[in-house]
Amino acid sequence: MDDVLTGLLRPKSVAIVGASTTPGKIGHTVVKNLIESGYQGGIYPINPSADEILGLKVYKSVLDIPEPVDAAAITVPAKFVLDVAKECGEKGVKGLIVITSGFSEVGETEMEQELVAIAHQYGMRVLGPNVVGTLSNSDNLNASFAPFLPLDGSASLVSQSGALLIAIDAITYTRRIGFDKLVSIGNMSDVNFADMVGWLDEDENTKCISFYIEGLKEGRRFIDESLKVSKPIVVLKAGVSEHGAAAAASHTGSLAGAQKVYGAAFKQAGVIEATDLSDLFDCTLALSLEPPMKGENLLIITNGGGVGVLATDSAEKYGVPLNFAPESVQAELKKHMPSFGSAKNPVDLTGMAGNDWYHDSTKFAFAHDWVDGLVVLYCETAMTNPMEIAKSIHKAITDTGITHKPVTVSFVGGERSDEAMQWLVENGIPAYNAPDLAVRAMGALREYARLEAMKAEPIQNDHKVDRDTAREIIAKVRKDGRTGMTEIESKKIFNAYGLPTVRTELATNEEEAVSMAEEIGFPVVLKIVSPDILHKSDAGGVKVNIKDEAGVREAYKTILENAKNYKADADIHGLVIQEMAPWATETIIGSVNDPTFGATVMFGLGGIFVEVLKDVTFRVAPISEKEAAAMLDEIRGAPILDGTRGESPRDKKALASVLAKYAFMITDLADEVAESDANPVLVYEEGQGVKVVDARIILKKK
Ligand code: ADP
Ligand code: MG
């Protein structure tokens, strides 16, 4: 465990620099909160002009404190923070909790950088600036200006918004969802989310890691750190700002919104994404109390048909669709219901279900091997007592002694149901006041299992590549002072990375074009080659299905003419002659260099699907072949690849392999390549492979 971070987040002693005698001031509140939270470590208020605050001796400087100090909470005005940081460094403080604002959030970026430089010079870490502080139930530590410690529990939350952290602190009591730590991360000048995942993974009192994120710093490191974590991570990502999309030169650029790339990155990092604040709580509750749902069989037990139907719909929606329970399971369950009940799935015990039926059916189902996850629903009835039902369910679950599969519960009713659910949560079973929420929670537990499995997939990084050729082509383009590469240059790089392209040859005059066409074999395709014309069709620069010599001669002249009309001073390298690829399913593969995550890879169906429906999906590169295969399945148009309406299935295996290889190429060339796409990539029938028909690479501006 990182000792310095531990000193910052679980300090054995805290100095409050800027401690104040005036109630209501932050420098006073922090001292008061430390005392009231029952903190047992040393509390040292610092203020040059006071002797005592809330009964504690006040020191003029941290340097005067006779004991060692782990953390310093800094509340002095921004202009004094750098000097304070130096004194803390001299004192041997481990971490600075910089509550003071007025740094990068108001444009004072240099001062913030200087603060970090000073801290690092002394081996200190900085939380903030611009934070509320940090809270830890297991240390009785409220080193913040949030009013109290959160309801105790086994999740820990890090928030980029201070105001939200304070609100969440209060919500923990109304929603009865407990947290061990709440950390306000502020401007993230030094300690960021990538640091927090690793530290919280090792924190013995944290079972589930929850984040409220507005924007990540060190995106790639966040993914890498998250991949190493053995605990569930759930994030709520706010902010829909799109960066540079409009100005993007490639198709992919215009499709890659920040939000899409974040979503992809979270998936890859094995992180579950919550849809809103309540969902963050719901998922956190389930993930902090229950193990992942490792198989696909969810069983639902209910006493009401209505909630059963609602839950069934939700099961579909949240990725845990119901399967019918096998006959043997149904036969046993029928013993715990009247003749008009249903033992299929959902299992309807009917409104006659009392404590015993709930207990016996829950116990049998939870213990049965076929069941991978259990949702127990209850509608309040006149004949039953919600608390007793809750206790029956709890007893049934604990009686089985099973801890490797999850259960979630929903009671629908009034105050008595609420109390029963609260009791369940306090006794370790996540309970929700609506059936769809219990199912959503189970969906999150299932997703966690799926993400965990994907995390283990190896990413191939030993592809046979001809780096020299690729780098030579890039060097030549750089020498010309260009960033846009022509199709033939791009394809040569694709080939150097083992990506299959249609045969493409450059002709610089009509005679060459004719002899190449004859060599390649008709029909052929002719296209303009000019770094000034990157979208060739727009310039009338593409002629397909040319069947003979006369056709080549005519197309050659027409394309040149069109190109000159399109851009009179275009630098024309010649024309390419290509084999005419037989028709197949058109797809698009692309990449942009994301400011947060670096190289990304995109996949979608080509033509109208990408133009109109924007039916594409992203990942941060590189990716495993399995991850690539998952991308093919998650676009809306996925059934087209599987073969619909008499069409035979497409070669998804070859496509996934090409996608993974492409992602590898993009990562390998990330220092040079800004954007790239292959549009179209033709996908043939199973076993027939994939062909890149058009390729485009745009280099970074240097
Ligand atoms: P651009 O995208 O720059 O306009 P493309 O090379 O993608 O140019 O060509 C436009 C369209 O022509 C492609 O989407 C494809 O439908 C068709 N096409 C281009 N080259 C070939 C080829 N070699 N075989 C078959 N069709 C092709
Ligand atoms: Mg194209």
Side-chain angles (χ1 to χ4, degrees), residues 679-680 694 696:
N679 180 21
D694 182 23
R696 180 165 27 235

PDB file of all heavy atoms in Angstrom, residues 679-680 694 696, ligand 2:
ATOM      1  N   ASN A 679     -12.840   2.715 -44.847  1.00  0.00           N
ATOM      2  CA  ASN A 679     -14.265   2.854 -45.150  1.00  0.00           C
ATOM      3  C   ASN A 679     -14.475   2.812 -46.657  1.00  0.00           C
ATOM      4  O   ASN A 679     -14.173   3.782 -47.328  1.00  0.00           O
ATOM      5  CB  ASN A 679     -14.782   4.180 -44.578  1.00  0.00           C
ATOM      6  CG  ASN A 679     -16.254   4.394 -44.857  1.00  0.00           C
ATOM      7  OD1 ASN A 679     -16.977   3.448 -45.112  1.00  0.00           O
ATOM      8  ND2 ASN A 679     -16.674   5.645 -44.810  1.00  0.00           N
ATOM      9  N   PRO A 680     -14.944   1.738 -47.216  1.00  0.00           N
ATOM     10  CA  PRO A 680     -15.460   0.558 -46.495  1.00  0.00           C
ATOM     11  C   PRO A 680     -14.423  -0.535 -46.276  1.00  0.00           C
ATOM     12  O   PRO A 680     -13.408  -0.595 -46.947  1.00  0.00           O
ATOM     13  CB  PRO A 680     -16.519   0.038 -47.466  1.00  0.00           C
ATOM     14  CG  PRO A 680     -15.994   0.399 -48.825  1.00  0.00           C
ATOM     15  CD  PRO A 680     -15.210   1.672 -48.651  1.00  0.00           C
ATOM     16  N   ASP A 694     -10.832   0.981 -48.919  1.00  0.00           N
ATOM     17  CA  ASP A 694     -10.352   2.365 -48.879  1.00  0.00           C
ATOM     18  C   ASP A 694      -9.716   2.602 -47.514  1.00  0.00           C
ATOM     19  O   ASP A 694     -10.246   2.142 -46.509  1.00  0.00           O
ATOM     20  CB  ASP A 694     -11.548   3.319 -49.082  1.00  0.00           C
ATOM     21  CG  ASP A 694     -11.129   4.777 -49.094  1.00  0.00           C
ATOM     22  OD1 ASP A 694      -9.943   5.051 -49.379  1.00  0.00           O
ATOM     23  OD2 ASP A 694     -11.988   5.643 -48.825  1.00  0.00           O
ATOM     24  N   ARG A 696      -7.497   5.540 -44.970  1.00  0.00           N
ATOM     25  CA  ARG A 696      -7.110   6.939 -44.811  1.00  0.00           C
ATOM     26  C   ARG A 696      -6.406   7.115 -43.473  1.00  0.00           C
ATOM     27  O   ARG A 696      -6.870   6.612 -42.456  1.00  0.00           O
ATOM     28  CB  ARG A 696      -8.393   7.778 -44.858  1.00  0.00           C
ATOM     29  CG  ARG A 696      -8.197   9.231 -44.701  1.00  0.00           C
ATOM     30  CD  ARG A 696      -9.409  10.070 -45.117  1.00  0.00           C
ATOM     31  NE  ARG A 696     -10.698   9.411 -45.016  1.00  0.00           N
ATOM     32  CZ  ARG A 696     -11.551   9.311 -46.046  1.00  0.00           C
ATOM     33  NH1 ARG A 696     -11.245   9.808 -47.214  1.00  0.00           N
ATOM     34  NH2 ARG A 696     -12.716   8.712 -45.888  1.00  0.00           N
TER      35      ARG A 696
HETATM   36 MG    MG B   2     -14.162   5.573 -48.529  1.00  0.00          MG
END
